[in-house]
Amino acid sequence: MWVKICGNTSLEDARGAAEAGADALGFVFAPSKRQVTVEQVAVITPHLPEQVEKIGVFVDASFEEIAHAVEVAGLTGVQLHSAVHSGLATRLRARFGPDFRLLQVIHYQQELTSQLTAVRQNTAIDGVLIDSRTATLVGGTGVRFDWPAARRALAASAEGLKIVVAGGLDPINVAEAIATLQPWGVDVVTGVEAAPGRKDHAKVKAFLENARIAASKLNTPISV
Ligand SMILES: O=C(O)c1ccccc1N[C@@H]1O[C@H](COP(=O)(O)O)[C@@H](O)[C@H]1O
């Protein structure tokens, strides 16, 4: 189970999540209560373990903006909140190579099957992150979606895709999410915070522990 702890704004929080066993750390470059700058992240990433992925979160950002952030802030992957057909993923794959993590976000509120089909057609994308959205927020909502309904859509159309589940996860419900959706990975922000942009280290640790326990009870992920 790939676990990403997102919305890091300080070295202390990012290091704490890495030490607790996170596979990936997220940094939100989009307007948000957790927004960070390229310069801030550039001084954090050199102090993090090399094997821990450093993922930049971008909402409708340009190729130039993302490429600049990757290079200056030392990112190893990106999470794209952009149209699947924007061409961004293809350009980023060409620029940063086969090992670069490229996650495409889709929202549960729109029809899942057609979105999954569109993602599958783009070979540059290696993972699809399913999240909730609200009238005002495209991420970091703290709101979960209808997991049993999503499970039915995923069973029909997720084959070959690395599915990452996000949206309203916390240390208590992450086990249910994993058991229901059998994803390749999970991602969290709000559910492990003490305040927006500040981690609750006990919650981060509990989230990781509970995700690992739930994953150990699964046979195989639903997707790959
Ligand atoms: O965290 C944010 O503020 C944010 C802002 C804009 C786009 C994405 C954002 N975060 C992503 O939201 C989900 C989960 O959020 P939550 O656990 O429901 O609060 C995750 O993919 C984050 O990377």
Side-chain angles (χ1 to χ4, degrees):
M1 183 65 48
W2 184 85
V3 184
K4 170 166 160 268
I5 304 293
C6 200
N8 296 284
T9 62
S10 69
L11 175 58
E12 187 201 352
D13 281 353
R15 198 184 256 156
E19 284 169 1
D23 298 287
L25 302 171
F27 301 94
V28 180
F29 293 93
S32 160
K33 292 177 278 192
R34 299 109 185 164
Q35 185 173 21
V36 284
T37 64
V38 171
E39 292 70 27
Q40 273 176 285
V41 179
V43 296
I44 295 175
T45 54
H47 302 285
L48 298 174
E50 200 182 332
Q51 77 279 7
V52 175
E53 297 182 38
K54 292 99 186 163
I55 307 289
V57 177
F58 298 91
V59 178
D60 292 331
S62 68
F63 172 78
E64 289 71 22
E65 193 183 330
I66 298 172
H68 172 75
V70 169
E71 281 160 2
V72 176
L75 304 176
T76 61
V78 293
Q79 178 174 320
L80 298 175
H81 294 247
S82 309
V84 179
H85 300 299
S86 66
L88 258 185
T90 307
R91 292 183 72 190
L92 289 166
R93 177 65 67 215
R95 172 81 160 255
F96 295 110
D99 296 333
F100 190 70
R101 178 80 64 203
L102 261 162
L103 295 174
Q104 173 69 45
V105 177
I106 64 176
H107 288 112
Y108 175 75
Q109 281 76 358
Q110 289 155 304
E111 210 267 311
L112 272 191
T113 305
S114 57
Q115 294 189 85
L116 291 167
T117 303
V119 171
R120 191 180 292 102
Q121 284 163 358
N122 188 334
T123 53
I125 296 169
D126 60 5
V128 54
L129 187 143
I130 307 177
D131 195 4
S132 306
R133 67 177 301 164
T134 65
T136 51
L137 296 172
V138 296
T141 62
V143 175
R144 61 192 263 182
F145 53 84
D146 183 343
W147 296 337
R151 156 90 195 178
R152 288 189 288 279
L154 290 176
S157 48
E159 201 185 330
L161 291 172
K162 288 189 173 87
I163 301 289
V164 180
V165 171
L169 297 181
D170 63 34
I172 307 297
N173 69 18
V174 67
E176 184 192 341
I178 290 172
T180 307
L181 294 162
Q182 301 183 18
W184 175 81
V186 288
D187 183 15
V188 62
V189 184
T190 311
V192 294
E193 284 185 327
R198 247 182 352 101
K199 295 284 176 269
D200 177 321
H201 293 266
K203 286 186 185 171
V204 170
K205 202 163 167 278
F207 186 89
L208 282 152
E209 279 172 6
N210 293 342
R212 301 282 175 227
I213 292 168
S216 71
K217 295 177 183 163
L218 290 182
N219 292 330
T220 56
I222 195 171
S223 44
V224 287

